Amino acid sequence: MSARPIDEPHRASSQLELLFDLTFVVAIAAATAQLAHAIADGHALAGLVPFLQVFFAIWWAWMNFTWFASAYDTDDVPYRLLTMVQMAGVLVLAAGVPAAASGSDYRVVTLGYLVMRLGLVAQWLRAAVEHREGRRTALRYAAGIIVVQVGWGLRLLVWETGALSPSAGTAFFAALVVAELAVPRWAERTGSTGWHPHHIAERYGLFTIILLGESVLAATRGVEGALEAAEIGSLVTVALSGLVLLFALWWLYFLTPAGEGLSDRRHRSFLWGYGHYGVFAALAALGAGLEVAVEQTGHGARASALAICYAVAIPVGVFLTLLWMVHAPIVAEPVVRPALVLGCVAVVLLLPLAAPSIGVAAVVAAIAAACVLLTALAIALTPGRASAPDRAAPDQAAPR
């Protein structure tokens, strides 16, 4: 296991990485479904904390594997088997999401997370043995991850004894999150691991598409639940508006050439990579909001129209704001201008106030229209970005 070149031509996601991503589809779907149930029952705030906690476990495990694979993907038998161990952990975590969301039972979620993390520790230890130049950094990664996993185990034990109040449990969780985020910064002080900027940009783009797909799936679940009792006009309006909204957000995400920006400003990769937690979580939460919005057309939701519309508007506003914030440090000039972003976010967050008078369907349609207008203005003000997927240099564009 040796470090892969950071300028390797034709670097693209491997078939194993694509298979690995499929296991996260299950976990994200479980988390999104539980959040949708909480929103529909009128307990959105109560369901938000478990959602963000579970989603952090999903995102962090995915992100750590992605950056490790960009540096050390050997695609041999040991590497594939250890990746399968991490995939098994994802599925265990997904199985525990309902218990975590409904009863604050994090035993299965924690077990799945530990399996994922220990699989990655084994990968780092192998890198330490076989790649002498990066040994100190690899050992630091392995040691840091192990220490934090001990912390997660202790948190679970203390939680099971009932010694932690909900607020203390959340504070303990936040402290361990900070520790997890600190491990890469600490480990890289002895030497940076090599990663391929265009490969990383592609991997993040693929995960974005997965989350958009989950939103489509969530909306479909809402259609299935609302179809029999729904007013067809409202149902069609919400469904089409949701599709247009997701398409606009997809377009906006891929307007910014992240690969080139990461290549030119590698020192800002932590800010870009970590900032995507909010971007990804917002897309997942949007899926839950759209599901409830569709379900509401069949009068199957207990939540108020105002709450349902904000379940759509807030994730959209967070996504747009963070999308600009994470890309601004790595590009010479942001593709989407901040004044346009802030204006669109303000409109999106004000629109739900009209829900009691014009209805959920009209508000969702207006939110979609605002995002379409933002996309159109961004394209018009940035010539040559009409098709604008993130593309590598010509010698890096072909699949491996």
Side-chain angles (χ1 to χ4, degrees), residues 102-351:
S102 60
S104 297
D105 182 355
Y106 288 93
R107 288 175 294 180
V108 177
V109 168
T110 303
L111 175 61
Y113 184 72
L114 292 176
V115 171
M116 289 189 289
R117 302 300 281 154
L118 292 178
L120 185 62
V121 167
Q123 297 275 36
W124 278 116
L125 290 176
R126 183 187 174 197
V129 171
E130 300 183 18
H131 182 227
R132 296 178 62 87
E133 294 81 359
R135 178 168 297 173
R136 291 186 63 191
T137 301
L139 288 175
R140 279 193 167 213
Y141 266 108
I145 294 172
I146 290 173
V147 169
V148 180
Q149 301 327 295
V150 172
W152 287 115
L154 289 175
R155 178 186 181 275
L156 180 62
L157 290 176
V158 176
W159 179 266
E160 289 297 316
T161 63
L164 280 178
S165 64
S167 58
T170 302
F172 201 161
F173 180 91
L176 289 171
V177 166
V178 172
E180 288 276 19
L181 296 175
V183 168
R185 297 301 297 262
W186 171 72
E188 300 267 335
R189 288 182 179 178
T190 58
S192 299
T193 53
W195 46 269
H196 197 293
H198 293 287
H199 174 251
I200 288 294
E202 182 191 31
R203 296 291 295 130
Y204 273 67
L206 289 173
F207 201 70
T208 299
I209 292 174
I210 286 174
L211 290 165
L212 291 169
E214 290 289 351
S215 294
V216 174
L217 175 62
T220 302
R221 287 197 299 259
V223 170
E224 292 174 352
L227 195 56
E228 293 183 0
E231 298 177 5
I232 298 301
S234 297
L235 177 60
V236 171
T237 300
V238 175
L240 284 178
S241 298
L243 179 61
V244 171
L245 173 61
L246 295 175
F247 195 80
L249 298 184
W250 165 83
W251 204 318
L252 286 169
Y253 183 90
F254 288 100
L255 274 176
T256 303
E260 292 295 335
L262 288 171
S263 179
D264 296 337
R265 298 169 178 83
R266 295 178 68 90
H267 61 288
R268 295 178 178 174
S269 60
F270 275 104
L271 179 62
W272 185 86
Y274 284 5
H276 268 75
Y277 168 73
V279 174
F280 290 159
L283 284 179
L286 175 59
L290 288 175
E291 178 177 349
V292 179
V294 173
E295 182 181 325
Q296 189 268 348
T297 62
H299 310 290
R302 299 177 185 173
S304 66
L306 180 67
I308 293 172
C309 289
Y310 268 116
V312 175
I314 291 176
V316 171
V318 171
F319 173 85
L320 294 175
T321 303
L322 291 181
L323 179 64
W324 173 79
M325 291 179 65
V326 299
H327 283 109
I330 67 167
V331 296
E333 182 179 354
V335 174
V336 184
R337 299 181 183 180
L340 294 178
V341 173
L342 294 177
C344 183
V345 169
V347 170
V348 166
L349 294 180
L350 288 173
L351 282 171

